[in-house]
Amino acid sequence: MTASTVAASTADPAVGSPSESPAGARGHNAAAPRGGRDGNPFRARQRRLYIPFVAPAFVLYLAFLIVPLAGTFWISLHKWPGSGPMQWEGTRNYTYLLHDPVFLHSFRNTLVLLFGAGAATFALSFGLTMLLRDMVGRSTARSIIFFPNIVPALVLSILWGFLFQADGLVNKILGLIGVHHPPAWLAQNHLYSMILLGVVWTSTGFYTTIIMAAVDRIPPYLYEDCALAGANAWQRFRHVTLPLSWDVIGICAVLWTINAIKTFEFVLAMAGSSSGLPTPEVWTVSLYAYASAFASSGVPQYGLAAADSIVTLVLVAVLVFLIRRVMRRDTIEF
Amino acid sequence: MKRNRHIRVVVTACIAGALAMTSAACGKSSTSAGSDGGKELTYWSMYKEGEPAQVALKASIGAFTKQTGIKVHVQWQGRDVLTKLQPTLNRKPAADLFDRNLAPVKSLMVPAGTASDLTDVLSTQIPGENKTIGDVLPDSYRSLGEVNKKLVVLPYNVVATGFWYNAAKFPTLAASPPKTWDDLQKLLDTQKAAGHAPLALDADIPDYNAYWYTSMVVSQLGVNSFHKAAGDKTGATWDQPGYLKAAQQIQKLASGGYFVSGYKASKFPAIQQKWANNKADFVIMGSWLPGEVKTYAAAGFKYASFPIPGNGTTASPVPSTAYGWVIPTKAAHRTAAEKLIAFLYGKAQMQSFADSTSTISARSDTTPSDAVAGAVASMKTNGTYQTDDAVNQDYADWWTKVFEPLDDKLITGNLTATAFIAKLKSQSVDYWKHAL
Amino acid sequence: MSTINAIRGLRRHRTQRTGPFQRFLGAPLVWLFVAFNVAVLAWLLLSSTKTTRDLIATPWSLPHAIQWDNFARAWSAGNFGPAALNSAVLVAGTAAATIAVAAPAGYALSRLGARSAEGMTSLFAIGLGIPAQAIFLPLYAVMNSLGLVDSLWGLGLLYTATSMPFAVFFLTGFFRSLPAELEEAAALDGATPWYTFWRIMLPLARSGLVTLLLLNVIGHWGETFFALVFIQSQSLQTLPLAMLGFLQQMQYSGADWGGMFAGIAIVVLPIVVLYIWLGRRIIEGMTLGSGK
């Protein structure tokens, strides 16, 4: 339930389709502003609106996000317990991170979440999208799929406990079908996988909703033609769905990267008690920052938390840049 | 209340330097906080509205205002009280008095010198009684609020950690608790042989796992032994035999099937719930346990506890935590705050707080509830020490990053005692080499 | 490209689109997924009417007797009443302010052809990646110097500001996808640029605005972190803070899972209702490039 993390993550998926929708609208918009650039008096007057229109949003953004971010960078060069004088450390917090096995493990966990859970989420989202495309009751289904995003992480963590603990529902069902020695789902060595499962479950609803919106815009005749040409489901996906929703997938990949790296609430909620932290075995980089600053005892290490946040942000920036590079190609007009 | 909020907003607005980054000058002068006439104070509480503790405190504070005419502006902040207060402590504390346990005060306030020494408050006379606070506060409790002989938290109630069980099932145990780990081992073996699960533990909570090893080390090697090893940058202390022995004891419990099945793959409070429903016999936990499980415990459950067993020569002191009063160094209304503390230390007030919360009162002449009576008695005979040997306070980062992950593995049977000690040593050496 | 053209060439009549796989294996799988989600909501609501004992001992059974008391307790002990009012005002105000600020910006960035628009849009997009925990300390300094700590106005302003990256990014994309013809026609008719924005483009973007509004409300309704840091007075606490306070009481005053689930239900239900009511708009907003 925490923070704008959720605000952003809840909100994010919607970005996809309208902004980069593959449909022809794009052609228009490219033309519209450019057409006006030379000498059209209406255009000239219109452009006078630019600064007053953008300025309020930009000022807010600058004052409450960019300036504090610069502050965070400054803090990351210090040792600071949150009040009182700051002690200059230079890059020491950063070199410490490189040597801290817990950070490296958290970093690895984050990458596993990013790529492992990411692959699962996207595979499931595409699967659901394809299945939902022709189903009766699709709009009901897609609304309900979105629903886990509204439920607080705390509830999910309790639910996961009741489902997967030693005498939980899953093991009872497995017992009924003859599996008497099921894995210890919530034991330390499996706990992170169970957390990933929860993340995949909630995220799938999200990305399905976006990808569906994009796929909906693909004219049905293309699929009909495909079917006629004897293409199977995979071929239809490969040659129609994928290329025609490519831009939206690119946006989804960016959003996923950002949200995956910011994931921490569900992990924190799995800790079980209100004040404690979960075992470092399941930390992500976000949780690492949180733990450094908010541990229930000990001197808060805000410098370290800030350094971790900056590293995280750099990771986001690099990945987003790479995704954009990899995904870039010509828009298909249809 | 409304006026108070206004005051706080003004005060808060004035602490521009609190975060050391802003230099924005504060033009407004603080009109209200200035003179300490001893006629009012602001108290931020660690309790939330509706809790039994809050109800009791509210009534007492009402009585205080009635008797003294001193107005108390209370904010029921909850457990995050210090986190919220901290930014204001350097200039003008937003509260003159608050309550908390030692750990956060020690790490957030003591280094910055923002917590005042309350030793002199001990000589304050309790209104209507012929005693001072120091007269009724035992040394074993007082020491729980001290850092370097300075009393920064004046204890109000105490949490004691021990082995909890159902006295209805073990009627004789109160009179003859196990004195040594061997005695305990025998008791556990008997229970196991009879087909019972002797031990409960929610092993998904690292802090609960840690109770076992830390208390075992301290009972073997004495108070401060774990603390010393934790702070040893060479790691050599871990080679002393007592540390391995304690680990071996835990390994034996973990691999011997003494813990109730599922303890390593459940989510809190699943195992605690089993214990409260007689599916496991003993659990190491703080004295909040009876209060916490009462809503789902089996009918007729009689809460009782015995202390961590000793090493055969000496009884083990009781791992304890004190919750109590803190006055920031720069509090504007110190006199009034001290008066309130003295008033709340009155016997009637302390007794009513203890009764309604079922906690252990720090005042020695109050009557404890049945559930905690045993814990009170063992603190009296065995003495106390800081829970986890204060390592979670003083070496919190090491505790979380090095000790607890290894300890989790030890107690869930994923690491042998020898490997535990070896890794603890090597990882600690490595940790201290790079520590910030 | 070539594949598509080839397929296009083969275009014939309408045919059966669903294969046997989809009908007999796929659809049940989807409905299983859907059923799981519905079951979770039902479980949440059922749990909120059970006693703590029942809830923990038999999490999957039906309640023995419905405990309406759970809701009463959560409401009064957690002080949910005033908190709900604070939350409602705060969230509504934030959503309105976000749209008021972001809509002109999104419009300007997408349709006015300014040279800096592209870079500006990217700049906003980068902001999506900034986690709240990364900036809260310096933010405290900013808020403090503005006298905005412990004030609903301050928190609302903060919510609005931190909504900017997504809101602007989203609306820029949305405005960009609107047809240009109407705008051009308006220009030919001699409409002022302001009129064009206010009377033509904004109504066209309605479904996008509603989507943004809804997502914004959903996001802030449960926001805990900033609220925890920046609100101190009880009288100003929001619903998630009330919920948190209620949770904190449990260790000493007895685990109250029934009350906790009731509290969670109180927090979640308004959003579920809002979502059901406006949910279609989200999908519409996502799907449609052009509003009606």
Side-chain angles (χ1 to χ4, degrees):
Chain A
M1 235 197 286
T2 301
S4 62
T5 339
V6 170
S9 63
T10 319
D12 287 343
V15 154
S17 42
S19 57
E20 303 285 315
S21 40
R26 245 182 150 210
H28 288 294
N29 74 59
R34 250 177 248 139
R37 201 158 263 172
D38 25 52
N40 179 338
F42 177 76
R43 280 288 167 206
R45 274 190 298 150
Q46 217 183 11
R47 269 203 295 279
R48 259 177 255 146
L49 286 179
Y50 181 71
I51 288 172
F53 268 28
V54 176
F58 186 69
V59 167
L60 281 178
Y61 177 52
L62 199 67
F64 291 90
L65 281 161
I66 300 300
V67 169
L69 189 64
T72 299
F73 178 68
W74 182 242
I75 293 173
S76 79
L77 304 174
H78 294 81
K79 182 176 184 172
W80 191 41
S83 68
M86 297 166 99
Q87 187 187 323
W88 177 259
E89 291 275 339
T91 57
R92 203 139 160 254
N93 286 319
Y94 292 92
T95 51
Y96 175 78
L97 286 180
L98 286 178
H99 287 111
D100 183 3
V102 174
F103 174 77
L104 297 177
H105 187 77
S106 308
F107 196 82
R108 218 194 57 162
N109 276 347
T110 304
L111 293 183
V112 169
L113 172 72
L114 187 61
F115 295 107
T121 302
F122 277 73
L124 274 172
S125 301
F126 273 116
L128 278 175
T129 303
M130 297 317 287
L131 291 171
L132 273 170
R133 223 174 60 79
D134 312 309
M135 254 175 53
V136 187
R138 57 205 295 270
S139 57
T140 312
R142 62 153 70 157
S143 298
I144 294 170
I145 285 171
F146 186 80
F147 159 76
N149 297 291
I150 304 176
V151 180
L154 178 71
V155 176
L156 298 186
S157 71
I158 293 171
L159 174 69
W160 246 228
F162 284 144
L163 280 176
F164 292 108
Q165 65 197 10
D167 53 1
L169 188 66
V170 168
N171 284 358
K172 279 189 184 138
I173 292 171
L174 286 176
L176 288 180
I177 58 169
V179 183
H180 293 296
H181 296 285
W185 305 108
L186 298 184
Q188 242 188 33
N189 46 337
H190 294 305
L191 184 60
Y192 194 62
S193 312
M194 287 297 116
I195 290 174
L196 293 186
L197 188 69
V199 172
V200 169
W201 173 51
T202 48
S203 315
T204 297
F206 246 17
Y207 294 94
T208 306
T209 316
I210 313 176
I211 295 172
M212 260 189 95
V215 169
D216 266 357
R217 311 189 56 150
I218 300 172
Y221 67 79
L222 288 178
Y223 286 99
E224 291 158 17
D225 293 348
C226 256
L228 267 181
N232 60 26
W234 166 249
Q235 286 167 322
R236 285 198 299 263
F237 173 74
R238 170 75 188 78
H239 295 292
V240 181
T241 311
L242 206 55
L244 292 185
S245 52
W246 191 251
D247 289 323
V248 174
I249 294 164
I251 293 288
C252 285
V254 170
L255 289 176
W256 168 260
T257 306
I258 290 169
N259 289 333
I261 291 173
K262 287 199 319 195
T263 301
F264 97 110
E265 281 199 304
F266 186 55
V267 185
L268 185 63
M270 285 305 278
S273 64
S274 56
S275 59
L277 293 166
T279 164
E281 296 282 327
V282 300
W283 285 11
T284 58
V285 285
S286 302
L287 202 84
Y288 185 95
Y290 181 84
S292 306
F294 295 102
S296 55
S297 65
V299 182
Q301 300 170 293
Y302 283 112
L304 190 61
D308 177 273
S309 302
I310 296 293
V311 170
T312 307
L313 209 62
V314 170
L315 179 68
V316 169
V318 168
L319 285 170
V320 167
F321 175 76
L322 286 178
I323 291 169
R324 294 224 147 206
R325 275 304 275 274
V326 170
M327 302 285 293
R328 188 192 296 161
R329 37 124 254 203
D330 295 331
T331 307
I332 294 176
E333 302 268 345
F334 59 95
Chain B
M1 205 60 126
K2 196 160 185 189
R3 203 171 76 86
N4 169 45
R5 204 175 70 58
H6 171 72
I7 294 167
R8 265 222 355 273
V9 170
V10 174
V11 171
T12 321
C14 286
I15 20 155
L19 291 143
M21 308 197 42
T22 38
S23 53
C26 186
K28 290 175 235 163
S29 68
S30 153
T31 47
S32 46
S35 59
D36 181 4
K39 280 289 141 206
E40 61 171 347
L41 77 142
T42 303
Y43 160 50
W44 279 18
S45 174
M46 64 173 272
Y47 299 104
K48 279 280 195 181
E49 236 162 346
E51 288 184 78
Q54 183 265 347
V55 175
L57 279 173
K58 194 177 177 185
S60 296
I61 290 170
F64 171 74
T65 303
K66 214 167 172 188
Q67 202 177 86
T68 61
I70 298 173
K71 193 158 167 38
V72 185
H73 308 287
V74 194
Q75 290 280 345
W76 306 105
Q77 293 285 8
R79 308 296 185 270
D80 302 307
V81 56
L82 183 49
T83 315
K84 294 188 166 196
L85 193 59
Q86 199 203 354
T88 74
L89 289 173
N90 285 329
R91 292 277 196 85
K92 279 185 176 148
D96 304 305
L97 175 71
F98 72 97
D99 46 356
R100 203 67 189 102
N101 55 329
L102 183 64
V105 175
K106 198 174 180 180
S107 40
L108 295 174
M109 296 179 73
V110 173
T114 51
S116 61
D117 183 0
L118 300 175
T119 309
D120 57 327
V121 182
L122 292 175
S123 53
T124 313
Q125 189 167 338
I126 300 166
E129 294 179 36
N130 212 357
K131 291 170 178 162
T132 64
I133 296 177
D135 291 340
V136 293
L137 174 69
D139 288 353
S140 58
Y141 294 168
R142 197 203 61 235
S143 62
L144 296 172
E146 287 179 339
V147 178
N148 301 328
K149 300 288 161 206
K150 280 186 181 165
L151 187 65
V152 289
V153 174
L154 201 159
Y156 189 63
N157 66 86
V158 179
V159 167
T161 302
F163 276 94
W164 291 86
Y165 64 95
N166 183 357
K169 247 168 79 182
F170 298 95
T172 59
L173 216 46
S176 57
K179 290 263 182 290
T180 65
W181 281 99
D182 289 341
D183 290 349
L184 178 69
Q185 186 69 52
K186 274 180 213 137
L187 175 64
L188 301 180
D189 284 332
T190 320
Q191 287 304 107
K192 206 178 135 204
H196 297 285
L199 298 173
L201 167 67
D202 277 293
D204 61 323
I205 311 277
D207 282 355
Y208 292 175
N209 296 343
Y211 289 152
W212 292 79
Y213 185 72
T214 57
S215 56
M216 223 173 262
V217 167
V218 171
S219 83
Q220 294 300 315
L221 301 171
V223 175
N224 211 32
S225 56
F226 184 64
H227 194 273
K228 195 179 99 203
D232 181 0
K233 296 180 169 56
T234 67
T237 313
W238 295 112
D239 290 333
Q240 291 169 21
Y243 298 98
L244 178 65
K245 199 179 159 208
Q248 281 163 337
Q249 180 70 24
I250 291 188
Q251 185 189 345
K252 188 173 174 189
L253 295 178
S255 59
Y258 291 90
F259 289 103
V260 66
S261 86
Y263 79 102
K264 43 182 137 169
S266 292
K267 188 162 169 0
F268 172 83
I271 302 298
Q272 192 166 295
Q273 188 258 352
K274 288 191 176 184
W275 172 82
N277 287 282
N278 295 318
K279 287 173 192 149
D281 297 326
F282 307 103
V283 63
I284 299 189
M285 194 55 65
S287 50
W288 62 75
L289 184 68
E292 189 178 70
V293 302
K294 68 183 175 204
T295 49
Y296 52 83
F301 201 102
K302 272 181 75 183
Y303 305 98
S305 67
F306 58 79
I308 310 284
N311 58 8
T313 37
T314 47
S316 177
V318 179
S320 317
T321 305
Y323 287 81
W325 307 110
V326 185
I327 301 183
T329 320
K330 295 189 177 167
H333 305 101
R334 192 189 167 92
T335 327
E338 289 179 2
K339 279 185 186 156
L340 178 59
I341 294 178
F343 180 86
L344 292 173
Y345 238 87
K347 190 165 182 188
Q349 313 300 341
M350 289 294 262
Q351 186 69 55
S352 96
F353 185 88
D355 289 347
S356 54
T357 57
S358 304
T359 53
I360 298 169
S361 175
R363 186 169 163 146
S364 56
D365 57 357
T366 49
T367 317
S369 65
D370 288 349
V372 297
V376 172
S378 46
M379 283 198 283
K380 201 168 182 179
T381 54
N382 298 8
T384 63
Y385 71 101
Q386 300 278 354
T387 310
D388 299 324
D389 214 6
V391 169
N392 63 338
Q393 302 168 18
D394 298 343
Y395 306 115
D397 196 50
W398 174 87
W399 169 264
T400 310
K401 289 178 177 173
V402 178
F403 173 70
E404 284 193 332
L406 291 171
D407 179 59
D408 291 344
K409 290 196 174 77
L410 175 68
I411 208 161
T412 53
N414 292 317
L415 205 60
T416 64
T418 348
F420 170 75
I421 293 293
K423 286 197 171 183
L424 197 52
K425 184 181 173 184
S426 67
Q427 290 186 15
S428 296
V429 170
D430 217 41
Y431 172 86
W432 288 115
K433 203 158 57 192
H434 295 292
L436 285 169
Chain C
M1 260 321 233
S2 56
T3 330
I4 292 164
N5 286 335
I7 294 167
R8 211 176 256 181
L10 287 168
R11 186 173 173 198
R12 295 266 153 58
H13 291 99
R14 221 186 151 73
T15 43
Q16 175 80 40
R17 276 183 287 150
T18 25
F21 167 77
Q22 261 166 289
R23 246 182 310 158
F24 297 113
L25 198 67
L29 277 177
V30 175
W31 286 115
L32 203 67
F33 193 84
V34 167
F36 181 69
N37 284 353
V38 174
V40 170
L41 181 62
W43 174 76
L44 168 64
L45 295 180
L46 270 183
S47 297
S48 68
T49 64
K50 290 163 79 166
T51 62
T52 301
R53 185 183 304 276
D54 279 357
L55 218 168
I56 294 182
T58 53
W60 312 110
S61 69
L62 290 173
H64 287 114
I66 293 190
Q67 308 287 319
W68 293 117
D69 188 42
N70 286 346
F71 285 86
R73 214 166 46 247
W75 187 266
S76 60
N79 227 345
F80 276 32
L85 187 68
N86 286 340
S87 268
V89 170
L90 179 67
V91 162
T94 300
T98 300
I99 286 182
V101 178
Y107 173 74
L109 289 175
S110 60
R111 302 199 73 97
L112 298 187
R115 244 171 236 107
S116 65
E118 194 61 36
M120 209 59 165
T121 310
S122 303
L123 192 62
F124 275 105
I126 290 169
L128 278 170
I130 303 174
Q133 309 93 275
I135 53 163
F136 87 97
L137 271 175
L139 202 52
Y140 194 95
V142 171
M143 296 280 281
N144 209 357
S145 62
L146 297 173
L148 291 174
V149 173
D150 199 25
S151 128
L152 285 180
W153 286 103
L155 192 58
L157 185 66
L158 180 60
Y159 282 174
T160 307
T162 48
S163 301
M164 278 309 123
F166 177 72
V168 171
F169 191 56
F170 174 79
L171 288 179
T172 304
F174 202 88
F175 277 113
R176 189 180 290 151
S177 70
L178 297 182
E181 291 87 354
L182 280 171
E183 204 179 10
E184 281 155 13
L188 287 177
D189 285 350
T192 64
W194 170 254
Y195 183 92
T196 313
F197 166 69
W198 185 245
R199 300 305 295 268
I200 296 172
M201 298 311 278
L202 218 47
L204 272 179
R206 203 176 47 204
S207 84
L209 298 179
V210 172
T211 305
L212 181 64
L213 187 93
L214 190 52
L215 293 173
N216 196 285
V217 167
I218 290 177
H220 288 131
W221 185 255
E223 205 282 333
T224 316
F225 183 74
F226 278 146
L228 194 62
V229 173
F230 292 104
I231 293 295
Q232 293 156 349
S233 311
Q234 286 151 260
S235 56
L236 296 181
Q237 69 180 359
T238 60
L239 212 42
L241 288 190
M243 183 67 218
L244 199 67
F246 186 62
L247 290 180
Q248 284 182 347
Q249 303 173 10
M250 298 209 322
Q251 194 173 45
Y252 294 92
S253 50
D256 182 5
W257 285 44
M260 175 175 84
F261 272 85
I264 291 170
I266 293 173
V267 178
V268 169
L269 273 182
I271 285 301
V272 172
V273 170
L274 186 76
Y275 175 72
I276 292 170
W277 181 42
L278 287 174
R280 230 154 244 248
R281 286 287 185 162
I282 295 193
I283 291 156
E284 233 175 78
M286 287 173 174
T287 316
L288 297 178
S290 52
K292 275 171 247 165

